[in-house]
Amino acid sequence: MKILVCISKTPDTTTKITFTDNNTKFNSDKVQFIINPYDEWYALVRAIEIKEQSGATVTVINVGGADCDAIIRKALAIGGDDAVRVDVEPEDAFFVADQIAQYAKTENYDIILSGKETLDYNGSQVGGMVAGLLDVPFISMASKLDMAGNVATVERDISGGKEIINVQTPFVISAAKGMAEARIPNMRGIMAARTKPIKVLEPFASEKFTSVKHYDMPKEKAGPKMISADHPEELVALLHNEAKVI
Amino acid sequence: MSVLVFVEASEGKFKKPAYEAATYGAKVSAMLGVEAHALCIDEADEAELKTLGDYGIKKVWFVKDARLKNFDPLVFAKVITQAEAQINADVLVLIQNYNGKAIAPVLSAKLRAGLVSGAIDLPLKDGNSFLVRKNVFSGKAFATYEMHSAQKIISLIANSVAPEKTENSAVLTEFKPELMDADFKITVKEVVKASGTISLSDAEIVVSGGRGLKGPEHWGMVEEMAGILGAATACSRPVADIHWRPHTEHVGQTGIAIRPNLYIAIGISGAIQHLAGVNGSKVMVVINKDPEAPFFKAADYGIIGDAFEVVPKLNEALRKFKAGN
């Protein structure tokens, strides 16, 4: 079985977000970049667990410049077998998904996994787009994935509950919490990752349909209105008369 | 030329997000000078489908196909693309809920159309530019996207646009998609519904508890407040991780991101990961005995005090208020 895991580079969760060039570009100066946690903790780790159970191969794919090699090496240290990097700056989700889909078409992967969304653009787009471009089933927000031969049993979150489904390979999954527990790479994994291959590909011809015109920041709050713990009825009045939410 | 809104019903009835999407679609259609259409795949009767007209939808397309009872994003996207081709839609609108998150990107791939997911405002036309604003960096900033494709897909975050009634009535028309049995590749074995609770993503008010509540046995007062307010209950990540509450209630960056009108956080310190999932809330109330809790900085209203003393008193005040209103 061949598994492809899509990983993206995102600013660390605690990053203070700022912009440059008249608020048209994200300021990456002094920003610590990490593997998008949903890609790492859930998609990648579950792929590695399946590999450990059934002898699958796990390839990691990233669309990005050479500065992404550090996060790719980490994914390999966690247990990926090899990696592919499409050497182009990711600007638009469709463009990224199309790069992944065009590469995936050449290799016939059984399972393609991504995180449910990225920490930076929060779009929940790439997984579904890859599925649409490859015309294979897409199971979004999956919290459990078990394989028996080429049939998967998947739990996915739905509004007000969850659904348990069966689907045959090939398919694409976007992974949410519950899929796996995060792993920390050990020294053996880190050493092994140094010699694992990263194949660098020229970008495929594609299209971009969206671009960020500018960014802005939420207005700073003046600070909360404090209410005495002895008079919570004042809060009720404020929520009704001032905030008008009850 | 038209705007097509994909609406979902729940047990035959539309909930507020469907009317929000209808209102949004009607406003976009007015901006573009085209008609607003809606497509409903769920079983909703004629009277229910007609209610979409009250929110500015001119034509409602409904699909009757028992095979569509189970959700499959690829199949749903196929139905929507066929409807889109028939009515020549320029803009497709969906709600960014669980199903919308699955369908919208597949639609984008199939139509080769730009997608802005998680929109929070109506689009703006600036000359030839079509601009859509959304939250980015887990709510720490906003980005205004320019959409370049001829067709555009927008998925709207629930609670971003208030439903608005207009003088209008809708024409109902059955839409018969061409589907083959081979299109259905996902088999639903079981649906597990969380019983008797208000869905977190639909809720207008959410009452949430954290580690400050000290144990699952103390959640009665949280549920009581939710009952008085008609709210959904939620919790912080540690609470779900130690199994005091189910993971379906976990709000925050790794759990569910929500945007209710009112979020009441009890005994939650407000870690950056928690805030990332709730900072889209219109109004935030924080109750915490630690005056240094970082959540107070993000809050609109705060009470410093022991939850075990404050919450019962607050519940009493809320009950009195509800009785008089």
Side-chain angles (χ1 to χ4, degrees), chain B:
Chain B
M1 304 280 271
S2 64
V3 171
L4 178 62
V5 183
F6 174 71
V7 286
E8 291 179 285
S10 172
E11 292 168 355
K13 298 286 173 203
F14 293 122
K15 290 185 179 171
K16 192 167 155 252
Y19 298 126
E20 291 173 4
T23 300
Y24 189 90
K27 290 195 171 192
V28 175
S29 71
M31 183 182 99
L32 299 175
V34 299
E35 275 194 348
H37 294 226
L39 173 71
C40 180
I41 292 179
D42 307 294
E43 284 173 19
D45 63 24
E46 206 168 288
E48 191 68 11
L49 290 167
K50 282 254 181 199
T51 62
L52 294 168
D54 301 340
Y55 297 88
I57 300 293
K58 297 274 187 209
K59 199 163 190 175
V60 179
W61 302 85
F62 62 91
V63 178
K64 286 182 176 174
D65 187 329
R67 293 174 298 178
L68 293 166
K69 201 169 184 301
N70 292 329
F71 178 66
D72 181 336
L74 218 58
V75 180
F76 273 47
K78 190 168 186 178
V79 175
I80 298 169
T81 52
Q82 289 178 10
E84 175 278 330
Q86 181 161 334
I87 66 170
N88 192 18
D90 305 286
V91 179
L92 288 150
V93 176
L94 301 94
I95 287 286
Q96 179 78 340
N97 57 10
Y98 286 108
N99 288 359
K101 278 182 187 172
I103 302 169
V106 178
L107 269 179
S108 168
K110 293 292 180 194
L111 294 170
R112 298 188 84 82
L115 163 64
V116 173
S117 55
I120 51 168
D121 281 330
L122 282 159
L124 282 175
K125 274 206 89 170
D126 181 10
N128 286 328
S129 299
F130 189 94
L131 306 172
V132 183
R133 195 161 177 259
K134 65 167 283 183
N135 277 310
V136 289
F137 297 103
S138 306
K140 289 185 217 165
F142 303 103
T144 299
Y145 277 80
E146 184 169 358
M147 303 186 79
H148 310 294
S149 51
Q151 285 172 314
K152 297 161 182 72
I153 305 169
I154 303 171
S155 71
L156 173 71
I157 294 220
N159 276 330
S160 298
V161 172
E164 251 176 61
K165 286 206 170 189
T166 57
E167 289 290 317
N168 185 47
S169 63
V171 177
L172 307 186
T173 310
E174 184 172 356
F175 178 69
K176 293 185 174 165
E178 285 177 25
L179 296 171
M180 292 172 291
D181 286 343
D183 290 328
F184 295 85
K185 292 175 180 155
I186 289 175
T187 314
V188 175
K189 288 179 64 188
E190 195 182 345
V191 177
V192 186
K193 284 270 178 194
S195 59
T197 52
I198 295 171
S199 157
L200 256 177
S201 38
D202 293 339
E204 290 183 45
I205 303 178
V206 174
V207 183
S208 189
R211 265 185 303 192
L213 287 171
K214 295 194 173 123
E217 66 277 16
H218 298 130
W219 241 262
M221 60 187 185
V222 175
E223 285 166 339
E224 190 185 345
M225 188 184 293
I228 300 165
L229 290 168
T233 52
C235 69
S236 63
R237 178 178 176 159
V239 162
D241 283 351
I242 48 181
H243 306 296
W244 290 358
R245 299 297 289 178
H247 274 294
T248 48
E249 285 196 0
H250 163 201
V251 291
Q253 193 164 60
T254 49
I256 305 168
I258 53 168
R259 288 172 63 83
N261 289 333
L262 172 60
Y263 183 71
I264 303 177
I266 304 166
I268 301 175
S269 63
I272 198 160
Q273 292 86 349
H274 185 79
L275 276 170
V278 302
N279 57 10
S281 309
K282 287 203 177 73
V283 174
M284 288 199 275
V285 173
V286 171
I287 300 167
N288 203 304
K289 68 176 179 184
D290 175 10
E292 300 298 320
F295 215 153
F296 281 117
K297 285 198 182 110
D300 298 281
Y301 300 101
I303 296 181
I304 298 166
D306 187 336
F308 298 101
E309 289 167 23
V310 174
V311 174
K313 278 191 215 163
L314 180 57
N315 282 349
E316 192 50 43
L318 284 167
R319 202 177 283 109
K320 262 190 207 161
F321 166 77
K322 282 285 172 186
N325 283 276

Side-chain angles (χ1 to χ4, degrees), chain A residues 78-89:
Chain A
I78 292 170
D81 294 301
D82 59 356
V84 173
R85 177 167 62 79
V86 183
D87 190 20
V88 61
E89 281 305 312

Side-chain angles (χ1 to χ4, degrees), chain A residues 196-209:
Chain A
K196 288 179 182 173
I198 302 178
K199 194 194 284 181
V200 179
L201 301 179
E202 288 297 308
F204 299 89
S206 184
E207 293 165 282
K208 291 172 197 166
F209 299 130

Side-chain angles (χ1 to χ4, degrees), chain A residues 63-123:
Chain A
V63 177
D67 56 334
C68 290
D69 284 350
I71 65 146
I72 294 172
R73 289 278 173 218
K74 186 182 176 193
L76 294 173
I78 292 170
D81 294 301
D82 59 356
V84 173
R85 177 167 62 79
V86 183
D87 190 20
V88 61
E89 281 305 312
E91 288 175 43
D92 165 53
F94 182 90
F95 181 82
V96 170
D98 203 17
Q99 301 301 315
I100 294 168
Q102 291 196 53
Y103 164 75
K105 266 182 198 161
T106 66
E107 292 288 330
N108 295 319
Y109 287 97
D110 299 288
I111 305 172
I112 300 176
L113 283 152
S114 72
K116 65 166 183 161
E117 65 181 83
T118 56
L119 284 191
D120 44 11
Y121 292 95
N122 307 109

